[in-house]
Amino acid sequence: MKHFLSIVFSICISLIGYAQQEFHVFPKDHVETPGTQSGTGSMANPWDLQTALRQNTKVVKSGDTIWLHEGVYNGRFVSALESVEPDQFITVSGYKNDKVILNGNVSSSRSAVLEVIGKQVIYKNFEVTWIGEFSRDENDADFQACGGIAHLRGENCRFYNLKIYNNPALGIGSWKHSAGSSIENCIIYNNGFIAKDGKGRGEGIYVQNKSEEVRLIKNNILFNNYYKGIEVWSAGKRATQQVVKNIALEGNIVFNSGSPAGRFYDNVIVASNDKNGINVAKDISILNNIFYHNTRQPNGNIYGDAPSLTLGFIAKAPIENVVVDGNIIIGGYNGLRILQAKSLRFTNNKIHTGIVQVGPSVSDYFPEWEFNSNRIYSSLKKPFRVPRVEDYALDTWQSKFNLDRDSSLSELSDFDLENVLSVAKHSQNNKFHVALFNAEGNNVTVDFSEYGINSQMAYTIYDVENSEVVLKKGVLAQDNKVTFPMQLTKFEKPLHNSEAKKTLSNFGVFVIEFENQRTVQIIDDKQNLIERFFKWLGF
């Protein structure tokens, strides 16, 4: 019996070590249960946010969850949380449906609202922003540049379902020392400022990677950031290592980048600025994304400078092994720019542009390109432009360079797309990102039959450009179809900005959430694991 009890005791100690814990965080100014530095992390005695994010591996362990309860958390925070068990994560999440806001508009020397330096942590279901009065002009004496999230280091972090907006710098920086991390299902908008030179600064996502693990940027929505949408890039001119590689962009919707600064910038750029030719943007995939600019002037003419996708930048560092497949690329006169590319597969894309600009020094690399099965819309008879060399018609481009053999060229006036461009389900709930197109701006109906949503589910629709306002509510009919309105004019302008524009009525991006109408009894108070174990033993 003594030996048996010894075994039981050892098992219990082991279970204690591996039992998943839940901790609770409240704002410091919460009326009933303010979060404090001296708290225990319990519901009755919660932590403040910075205390929670500084816990060591003996307190917050692999598999644990830190719940952030409703409210505004004023400050700029550093997360040093680390999960030390392989393939197990610590989770930092907004609690249930609580609205949790991290507000960085405070006096601080830190350059981001949330800095992440730990590893194997999931951050999800909260907002990162600036609230109140602040300058967005670098010329102002009180101006502060401050990004939303700076993931400086720490492997295998996950950023899910975050709303990152109105930060006076970039939205999220995913830097070279953060191997294996991902950004998914986030909405990133209205970030940035006007620099001293009068131009916009502040990307939606700035991403680098020096590891062999793939950095995944998937199913995010980015729009109306002051500078570029997604910048896969390194600005260093004298690099000694490669830090722009193994990055995947999949299913993202990026539109109207630069609009708050009064001009259009690249929705996506993939390149580096290294004159040593060492830091080459390499092994990058751009699959099934949507890149859009408001493409028409009021008189119906195409915009001039409105690049939607740029590949390569400097001749000494042409991109290598880049795959661009299945994307919709809608821009202005220079909507697609392939400036420097050594090896490239560019296939099955739909392109709205004035010209396809190709760098004059890359023709030697054409034999290493696979450039095929694209649909190109342009008002020009010779849309393939090699600056200072020649403009080419499609048939000449095909015969001279053996490119675009199965591609087509049509007039801009014939430009049209399927009404439903994409429907992307969130990985962890019944929420979808939906991108729609209708040339006349008519309402669009979406069939949800293939997405596992049962009829009689309640739904709520939000226009992502006006996400604080419910656009439409209803109950899913027997045919599983939902109609989305396209003629929308209201939108959430960037704070302290008058330049940003709503998208045209031909293009709309929405969030739709489904919930079961039936009341389901959920038991939140689960028996303690060790209690159940002892009960099983008969104690």
Side-chain angles (χ1 to χ4, degrees), residues 309-375:
L309 175 63
T310 295
L311 302 173
F313 182 71
I314 192 168
K316 292 187 177 180
I319 62 172
E320 295 183 26
N321 194 28
V322 172
V323 177
V324 183
D325 184 82
N327 303 280
I328 296 171
I329 303 164
I330 301 175
Y333 189 74
N334 53 347
L336 173 61
R337 303 188 299 180
I338 307 174
L339 304 183
Q340 302 293 341
K342 184 175 182 180
S343 49
L344 170 67
R345 178 156 68 89
F346 192 95
T347 52
N348 303 304
N349 302 290
K350 299 173 184 177
I351 306 148
H352 174 292
T353 186
I355 60 170
V356 177
Q357 182 178 338
V358 180
S361 63
V362 299
S363 58
D364 289 343
Y365 301 134
F366 283 170
E368 298 181 55
W369 287 17
E370 180 185 349
F371 209 94
N372 216 343
S373 301
N374 302 295
R375 286 172 53 190

Side-chain angles (χ1 to χ4, degrees), residues 112-116 126 128 147-151 159 162 164 170-173:
V113 180
L114 175 62
E115 294 181 12
V116 175
F126 57 86
V128 181
I149 296 177
H151 186 193
F159 301 91
L162 301 176
I164 306 169
L170 61 82
I172 178 168

Side-chain angles (χ1 to χ4, degrees), residues 16-17 25 117 184 188 193 198 239 261 268 272 294 325 428 495 523:
I16 291 171
V25 176
I117 58 175
E184 298 184 49
I188 304 170
F193 63 95
V268 172
S272 84
N294 278 337
D325 184 82
Q428 300 177 334
L495 282 181
I523 301 174

Side-chain angles (χ1 to χ4, degrees), residues 70-349:
E70 183 153 346
V72 176
Y73 294 79
N74 297 306
R76 300 185 198 173
F77 307 95
V78 179
S79 177
L81 296 168
E82 288 194 359
S83 173
V84 296
E85 296 294 331
D87 302 319
Q88 292 193 44
F89 292 82
I90 295 167
T91 299
V92 178
S93 174
Y95 183 72
K96 296 185 176 179
N97 293 320
D98 283 6
K99 187 176 181 64
V100 175
I101 301 173
L102 276 57
N103 169 36
N105 190 6
V106 300
S107 179
S108 174
S109 60
R110 298 196 179 280
S111 60
V113 180
L114 175 62
E115 294 181 12
V116 175
I117 58 175
K119 68 177 183 179
Q120 288 175 220
V121 182
I122 296 171
Y123 301 89
K124 65 179 185 177
N125 303 333
F126 57 86
E127 301 180 10
V128 181
T129 188
W130 274 43
I131 298 173
E133 294 299 319
F134 58 92
S135 169
R136 302 195 87 147
D137 190 332
E138 193 177 20
N139 291 295
D140 293 341
D142 61 344
F143 172 77
Q144 297 180 69
C146 177
I149 296 177
H151 186 193
L152 302 174
R153 64 181 187 273
E155 298 181 356
N156 297 312
C157 287
R158 307 282 187 265
F159 301 91
Y160 290 138
N161 196 34
L162 301 176
K163 188 176 175 182
I164 306 169
Y165 61 104
N166 276 327
N167 298 285
L170 61 82
I172 178 168
S174 185
W175 303 103
K176 60 186 177 183
H177 295 297
S178 50
S181 297
S182 64
I183 304 168
E184 298 184 49
N185 302 127
C186 296
I187 300 178
I188 304 170
Y189 66 101
N190 291 359
N191 299 290
F193 63 95
I194 299 297
K196 290 181 178 180
D197 61 6
K199 297 180 180 179
R201 297 288 188 277
E203 302 85 348
I205 297 175
Y206 192 123
V207 58
Q208 299 176 340
N209 187 20
K210 67 177 291 186
S211 89
E212 298 306 314
E213 296 183 70
V214 173
R215 182 74 49 81
L216 180 62
I217 314 294
K218 184 176 181 180
N219 290 347
N220 302 287
I221 301 173
L222 302 95
F223 61 94
N224 277 357
N225 294 292
Y226 276 64
Y227 192 43
K228 299 180 181 182
I230 301 177
E231 192 160 18
V232 183
W233 169 261
S234 175
K237 295 181 180 180
R238 299 296 178 189
T240 59
Q241 57 182 332
Q242 193 174 30
V243 300
V244 187
K245 63 179 183 178
N246 300 320
I247 298 167
L249 309 183
E250 298 180 7
N252 302 286
I253 305 168
V254 190
F255 60 98
N256 290 351
S257 300
S259 176
R263 60 175 294 183
F264 289 116
Y265 292 102
D266 300 287
N267 283 316
V268 172
I269 183 172
V270 177
S272 84
N273 195 29
D274 177 30
K275 294 184 178 181
N276 288 342
I278 294 172
N279 188 19
V280 172
K282 186 177 182 180
D283 298 326
I284 294 164
S285 59
I286 304 172
L287 308 177
N288 304 315
N289 303 276
I290 299 169
F291 309 140
Y292 172 97
H293 277 309
N294 278 337
T295 54
R296 295 286 185 181
Q297 297 278 23
N299 61 5
N301 293 328
I302 194 169
Y303 272 111
D305 190 31
S308 207
L309 175 63
T310 295
L311 302 173
F313 182 71
I314 192 168
K316 292 187 177 180
I319 62 172
E320 295 183 26
N321 194 28
V322 172
V323 177
V324 183
D325 184 82
N327 303 280
I328 296 171
I329 303 164
I330 301 175
Y333 189 74
N334 53 347
L336 173 61
R337 303 188 299 180
I338 307 174
L339 304 183
Q340 302 293 341
K342 184 175 182 180
S343 49
L344 170 67
R345 178 156 68 89
F346 192 95
T347 52
N348 303 304
N349 302 290

